[in-house]
Amino acid sequence: MSITYTTAAAKWNMNAGFGNHRMIVDAPEGKYVRVTLPWRRRDTAPENMAIRIRYNKVGEESVEGVAASEVDNIIIEKATRDEGVVVFESPRAGEYEIYYMPYEMPGEWYQPDVHYMTLSKLKTDRSWAEKICGVKCAEALRYEARTAHDSFYPMEMPMTAAERADFLAGDAPFVSVLESRTLSVRMFHDLPFIWNGRKADRG
C-alpha cells in the first residue's frame, strides 16, 4: 500500500486532544466502512490506544486545521505496530481524518503531563457495533503530521518484521548504511523503512 507523507497545511492546536499524527482516508458513505492504515508505529503497544475520526458535514469548514465533526462509531479491529484496521460509520463520502496517538496534556506548559487516549474513551454505540454488515472499503491516502517538527517521517517509521528480516538476511555480522547527516538516527531498536531497497554494506 503506497501513501504519501507530508505536513498538514494548517497546524492544529497541540492541546486540542488530537495528538500530532493523522491518516487521511477517502471513504464512501456507509453505515460500516473499513480501512487499513499503514501507519508504521514506533510505540510498543498500539493495541492499547484509541483513535479519533473527524470529517466535515455539508457546509462545514475545518477549524484550526481540524475537521468540524466527530465520528463516534468506531471499531479498531487490528492495531499492530505495522498497521491498523478500523471500521467506522461514514455519514458522507469524502475525506476523513483519523488521529492516532491522541492525547491530553494537563499541567503547566513547562511541565506537561501527557495522557494518551485509551480504548475506554471510545463512544461507540453498542447496538451499532453488534450489527456489522455490508462493509464498504475506504482507502488511506496520506500521513500528515501537525508540524514538520512533530513528523515521524522518515526516520521514525520502522520496517515491518518481514522487511527487517529480508533486509538483514545473510550471515554478515553487521550491516552498514550510508545516510545523510540531515536524517539522524532516531530509533535504536528498529530500522527506518526508507532503507528498504537501499544498498547496504555487509561486514
Side-chain angles (χ1 to χ4, degrees), residues 170-176 200-203:
D171 298 326
F174 66 88
V175 176
S176 61
D201 293 324
R202 301 179 185 276

Side-chain angles (χ1 to χ4, degrees), residues 3-186:
I3 63 171
T4 57
Y5 302 87
T6 187
T7 300
K11 68 178 181 181
W12 56 92
N13 188 328
M14 66 182 298
N15 294 314
F18 297 104
N20 300 320
H21 313 279
R22 68 187 182 189
M23 301 288 290
I24 306 299
V25 306
D26 181 41
E29 180 180 347
K31 192 75 172 177
Y32 302 96
V33 173
R34 178 180 286 115
V35 64
T36 298
L37 307 171
W39 50 32
R40 296 181 178 272
R41 292 168 62 160
R42 65 170 299 177
D43 52 313
T44 58
E47 69 276 8
N48 296 329
M49 207 170 295
I51 62 173
R52 296 182 66 177
I53 302 179
R54 304 283 289 194
Y55 74 105
N56 283 325
K57 297 177 181 177
V58 175
E60 289 183 333
E61 295 183 358
S62 297
V63 179
E64 293 187 349
V66 176
S69 294
E70 186 108 4
V71 173
D72 288 333
N73 286 330
I74 300 169
I75 295 176
I76 303 175
E77 293 187 323
K78 176 183 178 182
T80 67
R81 298 184 67 207
D82 295 345
E83 65 180 17
V85 179
V86 176
V87 174
F88 64 98
E89 186 171 8
S90 174
R92 62 170 300 195
E95 289 192 356
Y96 284 73
E97 303 163 357
I98 301 184
Y99 294 84
Y100 63 99
M101 300 181 72
Y103 62 77
E104 293 181 347
M105 195 164 55
E108 300 296 337
W109 65 268
Y110 52 83
Q111 193 175 13
D113 186 14
V114 177
H115 299 286
Y116 287 100
M117 183 178 176
T118 60
L119 297 175
S120 63
K121 299 292 186 179
L122 290 175
K123 301 177 181 179
T124 305
D125 182 83
R126 180 176 297 179
S127 63
W128 175 87
E130 291 173 347
K131 299 175 181 178
I132 295 181
C133 62
V135 180
K136 298 180 180 180
C137 292
E139 179 185 8
L141 301 178
R142 62 187 180 274
Y143 160 84
E144 290 186 349
R146 191 183 74 90
T147 67
H149 176 76
D150 295 310
S151 182
F152 283 151
Y153 181 81
M155 299 304 285
E156 293 181 85
M157 289 190 165
M159 294 181 185
T160 65
E163 290 168 345
R164 180 188 177 98
D166 183 64
F167 184 81
L168 297 177
D171 298 326
F174 66 88
V175 176
S176 61
V177 179
L178 291 176
E179 186 56 85
S180 169
R181 64 181 180 179
T182 64
L183 299 177
S184 59
V185 172
R186 297 186 180 183

